[in-house]
Amino acid sequence: MSRLLIPFLVVVLVALAGVSLLAGTIWLSPADVLAGLTSGRETLAGLIVTDIRLPRVLLALMVGGILGLSGAVLQGLLRNPLAEPGLLGVSSGASLGAVIAIYYGFAHLTSLAAPGFALVGGLVTAGLALALSRSGGTLALILAGSAVSAIAAAGVSLALNLAPNPYAAYEITTWLMGSLSDRSWDHVRLAGPFILAGAALLFSTGRALDALSLGEAQAESLGVDVTRTRILALLGTALGVGAATAVAGAIGFVGLVAPHLVRALVGHRPGRVLVPATLTGAIIVVAADIGTRLFHFQAGPELRLGVLISLIGAPFFLWLVLHLKRTAP
C-alpha cells in the first residue's frame, strides 16, 4: 500500500487541480480550459484560466504542500505529534507583519505590501525563536516559539483594538481568515522562490529526522548534527510557511492534519512521511479552495479558506487528542 500511496496522491492532486481550473462563478468545460491555456488572453476563457485560476491553483499547491511538509518535519524534529508551523510563531509573526502593513496604510500603496511585510514578520519571529532557544534543546525551542507566537498574537489583537475605523478592522479580520481569491502571478512570483527554498531545506532533514526518532543523544552518536538539523528545519519553516502565510493569510491545521493522515500508511519513520505529507497538504488546500467557491456559488457570502479548513481541522484535532490520550501508556 505504501508503494502505491504517492502515485495515488499525485493522481488525486492532478484531478483536483483540474477541477479547480473548471470551478468558479463562471464554470468552464475541459475544452474551454484547454483552449484557454493555448490561446492565452485572447479569449474570455483564456483570460479566466491564465490570469485568475491558474495562479490560484499554483498558490494552493505550494501553500498546502509547504504546510504539510513543515508539519511533518516539525513533528519529527520535536518528536511531538501535535507540532505544527504555528507552534514556532512563524504564522503569527507573518500575520502581525501583514496587519502592520494594513494598519499603517502600506497595503493601499501596492497589493504586495501586506505579503512583503508578512514574509519579513515570519522570518523575524523564527529568528527570535531560534535565538532564544540556542542554548537549550527541543523544549526550549517549543517554549520560545510559543512565547514569540503569543507576543505576535497580542500585537494583532492590539491592532484590531486600536483600528482607526471599522473598515480597517474589517480588512485586517478578512486577511486573517485566509483566502486565495484575487491572487495573481505577482503573488506566485513573490512566494514561489521562498516556498521552494524552504521546501528544499526541509527535505534535506529527512535522514537526520529518522535518527532523531531514537533521541538526541542517540542521533548525535550516529553522527547527526542536531543543532544544524534544528536550524535547517526552522529556517525552512520560516521561509516556506512565512511566504505561504504572506500570500494566503493565516491557514491552520494543515500542518497538523496532513502528516497524521498518511503516517499510518507509510510507517512512523519521519523521513518517509515527508513526501506523502506534502502531497496531502496540497490536496487539502486545493480541495478546500474548491469548496469555498462552491459554497460561494450556492449560498452567496464568501466562505474564507482558513475558516473552512478550521471547521474540518478542529474536530480532527479533538479526535487526535482523545486518541493520544487513549493510547498513552
Side-chain angles (χ1 to χ4, degrees):
M1 178 63 184
S2 60
R3 294 181 179 179
L4 299 176
L5 179 61
I6 291 178
F8 172 75
L9 293 175
V10 170
V11 170
V12 172
L13 187 57
V14 171
L16 286 173
V19 173
S20 183
L21 293 176
L22 305 177
T25 305
I26 300 176
W27 278 78
L28 301 177
S29 67
D32 291 333
V33 172
L34 291 176
L37 291 173
T38 55
S39 66
R41 298 179 175 86
E42 297 178 0
T43 64
L44 177 60
L47 189 65
I48 292 173
V49 171
T50 58
D51 280 2
I52 299 176
R53 295 188 184 169
L54 192 55
R56 185 167 180 166
V57 171
L58 291 176
L59 283 176
L61 292 172
M62 291 191 295
V63 169
I66 196 65
L67 290 175
L69 173 60
S70 60
V73 169
L74 292 177
Q75 288 174 15
L77 175 71
L78 304 176
R79 299 184 297 283
N80 185 341
L82 301 181
E84 52 97 23
L87 186 66
L88 299 183
V90 177
S91 300
S92 297
S95 298
L96 178 60
V99 167
I100 290 173
I102 296 172
Y103 184 86
Y104 287 102
F106 297 111
H108 296 288
L109 302 177
T110 171
S111 61
L112 296 180
F117 273 71
L119 182 58
V120 173
L123 292 173
V124 169
T125 51
L128 286 174
L130 180 61
L132 292 172
S133 63
R134 179 173 298 176
S135 59
T138 298
L139 181 59
L141 181 60
I142 295 175
L143 293 175
S146 299
V148 172
S149 179
I151 294 172
V156 171
S157 299
L158 180 64
L160 283 170
N161 187 83
L162 300 179
N165 56 70
Y167 300 103
Y170 173 78
E171 192 173 355
I172 292 172
T173 304
T174 300
W175 191 90
L176 291 173
M177 290 180 184
S179 177
L180 289 173
S181 62
D182 301 324
R183 300 305 188 263
S184 66
W185 288 108
D186 289 336
H187 294 89
V188 176
R189 286 188 285 268
L190 173 68
F194 293 99
I195 291 177
L196 293 177
L201 292 175
L202 292 172
F203 275 120
S204 69
T205 64
R207 299 183 67 179
L209 293 177
D210 289 340
L212 274 170
S213 63
L214 303 174
E216 291 188 7
Q218 290 79 358
E220 289 178 346
S221 68
L222 294 173
V224 173
D225 189 336
V226 176
T227 301
R228 178 179 178 272
T229 302
R230 188 180 294 123
I231 292 174
L232 288 175
L234 191 57
L235 181 59
T237 300
L239 288 172
V241 177
T245 307
V247 295
I251 298 177
F253 291 107
V254 176
L256 174 67
V257 171
H260 287 285
L261 291 177
V262 299
R263 187 170 286 120
L265 300 175
V266 300
H268 292 273
R269 270 181 50 193
R272 298 187 64 182
V273 179
L274 301 188
V275 173
T278 302
L279 296 172
T280 303
I283 288 172
I284 292 172
V285 174
V286 173
D289 187 46
I290 296 172
T292 61
R293 280 178 270 176
L294 294 176
F295 184 88
H296 178 62
F297 177 74
Q298 294 292 335
E302 181 179 358
L303 180 63
R304 294 289 172 173
L305 179 64
V307 176
L308 179 59
I309 293 179
S310 295
L311 289 173
I312 300 171
F316 180 88
F317 180 75
L318 178 60
W319 171 86
L320 180 61
V321 171
L322 296 175
H323 175 73
L324 293 175
K325 181 180 180 181
R326 288 196 303 267
T327 58

